[in-house]
Amino acid sequence: MSSAAAHAGFVDRRQVARRFSRAAQDYPAGDFFAREVDRRMQERLDYVRVTPRRILDLGCSRGGSFAALSARYPQAELIGLDLSEAMLLAGQVRRPGWQRWLGLGQDGPSRIVADAAKLPLAARSTAVVWSNLLLHWLDDPIPALAEARRVLEVGGLLMFSTLGPDTLRELRTAFGDAQAHTQRFADMHDLGDMLVECGFADPVMDMEVITLTYDDFDAMLADLRAAGSSCAMRDRPRGLMGRARWAQVRAAYERLRVAGKLPATFEVIYGHAWKGEPKQTADGRAIIRLDGLKRR
């Protein structure tokens, strides 16, 4: 690989934006899986004590998490950030003109088009960073995790979900080649190590497997496209596959049929961690706190 290709990374960022922008208008018909994962993430908040003044939804798409977060934390300012402007616009509900003219009501959460690895927010300005199924679309999760920690206030919470290596294993098996047909997914333990590397405290990771079932292969592909979830790796096959090749893949997937259904496995990884007190200054000097020492 050339140095230029290495610098470009593994994930085609423009392709990610294009896929989700194309899916924006009809996304509610395709995001059922994201909404189910979001519901399970929301349940995990039942065991977390936090009263946030501001919540950042990182990779918010059309804002599917907004209603539940607003209901749980009605006092919090909610900000949605996404790479796809089309997604943000498609999910925006504007007040009628007469309400805006009279200054009544609200247009809902603020929405920002930005890169998760370059957040346009001040340091220590956010109490909760929430991210549902974003990290596997990034070339490297570490810059985004580091930025999340930067914008969190001390004692702030990062909570996220992403997909693990077993995701769409049946699809990779059916293609049976060395080319990329799905995203590259990080292991749960590697993500935990990344949190520690970025300076988070008390990381908690867990995982579950969700298996969707389909009557036919094309229905599964249609759901992936509707959710904007087609492969966006740089080394993905380019151009159209011929009929013979598609027939081979369909036949291989058919051999995986169980109880009359075609399975599609998703390994869902959940993580949360806290921003603790800094242990070093910006120039690397250690910070020693004296407030816990007893006076003699």
Side-chain angles (χ1 to χ4, degrees):
M1 179 183 293
S2 69
S3 58
H7 180 73
F10 297 98
V11 177
D12 187 339
R13 183 173 176 272
R14 292 183 180 179
Q15 181 70 355
V16 173
R18 280 195 295 266
R19 289 284 169 84
F20 281 99
S21 294
R22 289 172 186 166
Q25 288 301 323
D26 298 321
Y27 193 60
D31 74 337
F32 63 90
F33 180 77
R35 300 282 56 80
E36 176 59 22
V37 174
D38 178 79
R39 184 188 67 78
R40 299 183 188 204
M41 284 179 67
Q42 295 281 348
E43 289 178 348
R44 284 163 166 76
L45 286 174
D46 293 341
Y47 306 99
V48 173
R49 286 191 176 184
V50 61
T51 307
R53 293 176 294 105
R54 174 183 283 176
I55 301 171
L56 172 63
D57 186 346
L58 198 57
C60 67
S61 64
R62 287 181 50 137
S65 300
F66 289 171
L69 289 172
S70 294
R72 184 180 289 270
Y73 305 114
Q75 78 288 348
E77 175 192 5
L78 186 56
I79 300 174
L81 183 146
D82 201 273
L83 185 63
S84 169
E85 183 177 13
M87 275 287 188
L88 295 176
L89 292 175
Q92 192 165 20
V93 179
R94 290 184 60 82
R95 294 168 291 165
W98 66 271
Q99 287 189 2
R100 295 198 301 274
W101 186 73
L102 292 174
L104 301 175
Q106 299 180 1
D107 282 332
S110 302
R111 289 168 167 82
I112 302 173
V113 181
D115 188 334
K118 298 176 182 179
L119 299 180
L121 298 175
R124 300 190 179 192
S125 62
T126 305
V128 172
V129 174
W130 174 270
S131 182
N132 182 27
L133 297 177
L134 166 69
L135 295 182
H136 55 278
W137 294 110
L138 306 179
D139 195 66
D140 179 1
I142 287 180
L145 294 175
E147 274 290 88
R149 185 181 183 280
R150 181 185 67 80
V151 303
L152 279 171
E153 60 193 33
V154 173
L157 171 68
L158 166 67
M159 181 169 279
F160 68 87
S161 64
T162 188
L163 297 179
D166 267 353
T167 298
L168 296 174
R169 64 190 181 197
E170 297 89 356
L171 187 61
R172 291 193 296 274
T173 297
F175 275 100
D177 56 28
Q179 293 184 299
H181 298 283
T182 69
Q183 290 303 104
R184 181 186 58 172
F185 303 110
D187 179 81
M188 177 178 71
H189 303 291
D190 291 337
L191 287 165
D193 291 342
M194 292 178 196
L195 290 172
V196 173
E197 180 180 339
C198 291
F200 281 99
D202 303 321
V204 176
M205 306 294 301
D206 66 301
M207 178 272 289
E208 65 177 334
V209 173
I210 299 175
T211 302
L212 304 182
T213 57
Y214 292 90
D215 291 327
D216 61 78
F217 180 71
D218 289 334
M220 182 201 64
L221 293 183
D223 271 358
L224 291 176
R225 285 192 292 267
S229 296
S230 301
C231 179
M233 301 301 291
R234 289 191 181 276
D235 60 349
R236 68 191 183 277
R238 306 300 176 103
L240 298 175
M241 286 202 314
R243 288 185 179 181
R245 179 59 175 142
W246 273 119
Q248 288 177 344
V249 174
R250 283 192 179 87
Y253 212 111
E254 277 294 328
R255 290 193 285 272
L256 304 175
R257 192 178 287 273
V258 177
K261 297 287 186 177
L262 295 178
T265 296
F266 293 85
E267 179 185 336
V268 185
I269 296 171
Y270 304 93
H272 73 262
W274 302 87
K275 179 174 179 176
E277 292 283 354
K279 297 180 180 180
Q280 288 185 332
T281 62
D283 59 4
R285 291 177 294 171
I287 297 175
I288 301 175
R289 303 191 184 281
L290 304 178
D291 51 343
L293 297 179
K294 293 182 179 180
R295 293 183 179 180
R296 291 186 177 181

